[in-house]
Amino acid sequence: MTHPLPRPVDGAGAALPTIETRDLRKNFGAVEVLKSVSFRACEHQVVSIIGASGSGKSTFLRCLNFLEQPSGGEIRFKGESLHIDGAKGGARQRDIERLRRRTGMVFQQFNLWSHWTVLENVAKVPMHVHGVSKGLAEKRAIELLAKVGLAGKKDAYPSALSGGQQQRVAIARALAVDPELLLFDEPTSALDPELVGEVLTVIRSLAMEGRTMIVVTHEMGFAREVSDKVVFFHNGRIEEEGAPGEILKRPQSPRLGTFLSSTR
Amino acid sequence: MRWDVVATAFPALLSAVPMTLQLAFIAVAAGFFLAVLLAVARLSGIRGLSGLAYAYVYVIRGTPLLLQIFFIYYGAGQFDAVRASPFWPILREAYWCALLALSLNTAAYGSEIIRGGLMSVPKGQIEAARAFGLSGMRLFRLIVFPQALRVMLPAYGNELILLLKATSLASTITIIDVTGMARTLASQTYAPVEVFVCAGVIYLALTTLSTLAVQSVEGRLRRRGGLALQG
Ligand SMILES: Nc1ncnc2c1ncn2[C@@H]1O[C@H](COP(=O)(O)OP(=O)(O)O)[C@@H](O)[C@H]1O
Ligand SMILES: [Mg+2]
């Protein structure tokens, strides 16, 4: 697969980090779910996160836009620090909202708003959060729906769509805010096998455009082809990371080796 | 059947319809506001507040409405604090006592309906909204309320009909609503069957009209985006 833009692997080139965590920690009560995670995704990079179920991948992704409040450490978005260790109450609500306005998220269970049509699902956030006029927001929504192959479904309600179609609408919804960072939490895990392909195709095309993306996935083929960096989570830590051609072919840690052989 | 009684009783009963409607609709409206507060208190996660709201609902739902009406109408005057308060001129009147009791009563049932509606909104959809920067009142207005309304409306329509019939209890504290008028006419004419059948027909008409009104609102909502569409 070729990319139209130079795709920096960590440290290489002058790409700026879009989001970074340092020593990020999260516990639920006494249970430590994230233990000192230091992570970086640079501009135009596609980072895949892999790891066994329960290893903390979703929690990590949700900490990035503060759907979960981190227990400690720091998050930097575009160079601005959002969570200072030990600060009581954590990041300020205003900063969190600002970060959320500049990111898009795609969920495992789609989470489309069921009282709105497909068009409204895509157009409403730009209108109500970003102050875009209705006409403009709907025009752009229709373009995005065409891009994910669903222009004909704009007046349908989510419940009338297949899982694959719902997820493509969810991707259009995330793109509608022209995000600087896209987060995907297992976007194909809830789909019937025959519907996985259509969603992966759309995500692949976004990678080609040079979108900055973090994708939690079980699709090893996808991670290998599309990502610039693969991060392996184990027990709430980053156990291993690197370019997909290296770590997926020649894993250093035995745990990654075991994990990879179990997914084949 | 004494048709002459029917002919005179029916218009007299009709003249009491505004009182019945007033009691029902004002109580539902006032009760709705209290119900929203109670539901929000229940869901607030603040222990004292939600405990208080729970206790209120528990007591109101566990005791007869007639008893609540008597308590307010006959009982309130026993407390010096009530008699000294600026509310006394109001609490002395049967009309306001009936309205108060009906409002307080329907608020308890209404709060459970509202709570159920709010809780029915899928968590994932609220989370998605938060992830895109919606929060506070905007999140409530755009995502939570419209979906809760769809779930609440049929149950609240039912509550309106129950309350419409429950207003008849106000006749026990001298209110001349449809039932109050029927009791008066029955004792004047010695024709209880004719009079009460007429009153029953009037209640049936009122509840039928209310049902149709609620159904038409539901239908409008459904056409605007799927009452039945959950998921
Ligand atoms: N809200 C929560 N409360 C308590 N424990 C949680 C919560 N969310 C996740 N966990 C726990 O945190 C761990 C990591 O979960 P998660 O991040 O969902 O893993 P993954 O996405 O890698 O499967 C699991 O053990 C899970 O049970
Ligand atoms: Mg997960």
Side-chain angles (χ1 to χ4, degrees), chain B residues 2-89:
Chain B
R2 283 173 51 194
W3 292 104
D4 57 317
V5 173
V6 173
T8 54
F10 206 79
L13 289 169
L14 278 181
S15 74
V17 165
M19 174 59 84
T20 290
L21 289 181
Q22 244 179 67
L23 288 174
F25 283 93
I26 297 177
V28 156
F32 179 77
F33 281 102
L34 183 56
V36 170
L37 294 180
L38 285 167
V40 169
R42 271 302 288 281
L43 296 172
S44 67
I46 303 166
R47 250 168 106 212
L49 207 60
S50 90
L52 217 62
Y54 176 80
Y56 178 84
V57 172
Y58 180 79
V59 169
I60 296 284
R61 292 213 303 180
T63 56
L65 172 58
L66 184 58
L67 204 73
Q68 294 161 15
I69 292 174
F70 286 170
F71 180 84
I72 290 175
Y73 184 61
Y74 298 114
Q78 298 219 333
F79 300 98
D80 290 338
V82 173
R83 293 170 57 151
S85 80
F87 301 114
W88 180 235

Side-chain angles (χ1 to χ4, degrees), chain A residues 128-147:
Chain A
H128 290 282
V129 179
H130 298 256
V132 178
S133 72
K134 183 169 189 233
L136 204 62
E138 291 191 342
K139 182 167 163 284
R140 173 112 176 94
I142 289 168
E143 287 167 14
L144 287 168
L145 287 171
K147 178 178 173 146

Side-chain angles (χ1 to χ4, degrees), chain A residues 34-46:
Chain A
L34 296 177
K35 305 158 189 163
S36 188
V37 177
S38 294
F39 170 96
R40 166 186 290 191
C42 292
E43 259 176 46
H44 310 304
Q45 250 190 350
V46 179

